[in-house]
Amino acid sequence: MELSARTVAGGGTAEVLVLSLRGESLDASNVAAFKESALALSRGHPRVVLDMTGLQFVDSSGLGALISCLRQQNGQRGDLRLCHMSPAVRALFELMRMDRVFRIFDRCDDAVASFA
């Protein structure tokens, strides 16, 4: 699992941090490293988009880490948006009703633009 960051111009004058998650799973085996990296990279950036391209599996610890990241963003008066979710991961989010907690977009550009 690899996490990289880049900033892009968002809606208005605000920049949006796009975190790209590369790996097939977010589970108990890698969730601690993900959470540590994501929280460190997003500190000071209230608007964050997590690009989940390639992610095929998320377990309960992965969901917990994503919720933790969302709480950090909310604490900064910001938000975390998700994009490029695979059908399998999207189905899990809908089953667990996490699609009511997170704003999910098919394209990263749409997620970034949603901060306008």
Side-chain angles (χ1 to χ4, degrees):
M1 193 257 340
E2 178 186 328
L3 195 61
S4 61
R6 62 186 169 91
T7 55
V8 296
T13 60
E15 285 190 337
V16 177
L17 180 70
V18 177
L19 297 177
S20 297
L21 176 62
R22 298 295 178 246
E24 291 189 11
S25 66
L26 182 58
D27 56 28
S29 70
N30 60 12
V31 74
F34 164 78
K35 189 174 171 182
E36 181 180 330
S37 295
L39 294 177
L41 289 168
S42 63
R43 193 165 284 118
H45 297 276
R47 295 166 196 85
V48 177
V49 172
L50 180 62
D51 178 355
M52 301 172 78
T53 300
L55 191 66
Q56 298 298 316
F57 177 77
V58 178
D59 72 0
S60 60
S61 35
L63 283 174
L66 292 171
I67 291 169
S68 179
C69 292
L70 177 64
R71 285 186 181 149
Q72 176 181 321
Q73 295 316 115
N74 290 162
Q76 298 182 71
R77 297 180 186 249
D79 200 6
L80 171 67
R81 315 257 165 106
L82 308 177
C83 67
H84 284 162
M85 199 175 275
S86 72
V89 173
R90 180 72 183 240
L92 171 70
F93 270 66
E94 290 171 358
L95 179 68
M96 302 303 295
R97 300 196 189 273
M98 289 291 106
D99 58 327
R100 297 180 184 195
V101 175
F102 291 94
R103 292 191 59 191
I104 302 169
F105 297 84
D106 291 332
R107 298 175 348 110
C108 283
D109 291 345
D110 295 335
V112 169
S114 74
F115 281 107

